Amino acid sequence: MSGHISTTGAMLASPRCGAKTRTGGACRAPAVRGKRRCRMHGGAKGSGAPRANRNARKHGLFTRDAIAERRQIRALLGEARQLLKGMRFRP
């Protein structure tokens, strides 16, 4: 245990990761040499998305046109329900 303070001094003085954690605070892990993030937040070799990331492609479900189309369909269905409710036979 002797010399513990002298061996950890360099790590304590090293730059810290700039990532934000799930709780909103800053990550306190040391950054990888030559990078601004720690090994867990993207500083490790090979981390991050691949080039031409196919996982980041958009599917179009939330485009303005798709949202407007769904609104129109919902409005038409509501009108149809109201019409059917008014056509019910009452003795």
Side-chain angles (χ1 to χ4, degrees):
M1 188 93 162
S2 66
H4 177 71
I5 299 297
S6 64
T7 58
T8 58
M11 188 185 95
L12 293 173
S14 65
R16 297 289 141 181
C17 174
K20 194 179 284 189
T21 63
R22 290 181 184 181
T23 58
C27 175
R28 293 185 285 185
V32 174
R33 185 173 296 165
K35 299 195 178 182
R36 298 181 66 186
R37 297 285 184 252
C38 68
R39 63 187 175 82
M40 294 170 283
H41 289 116
K45 186 174 182 176
S47 64
R51 294 206 184 276
N53 186 1
R54 297 184 73 198
N55 297 329
R57 287 192 180 160
K58 303 297 180 211
H59 47 69
L61 184 63
F62 298 105
T63 60
R64 283 190 190 128
D65 295 336
I67 293 170
E69 185 177 357
R70 287 195 299 272
R71 277 192 189 128
Q72 286 178 334
I73 292 169
R74 241 185 330 253
L76 283 171
L77 286 172
E79 290 173 15
R81 283 190 190 105
Q82 291 296 324
L83 183 63
L84 288 172
K85 195 183 284 188
M87 291 174 57
R88 288 207 176 127
F89 176 72
R90 292 185 189 123

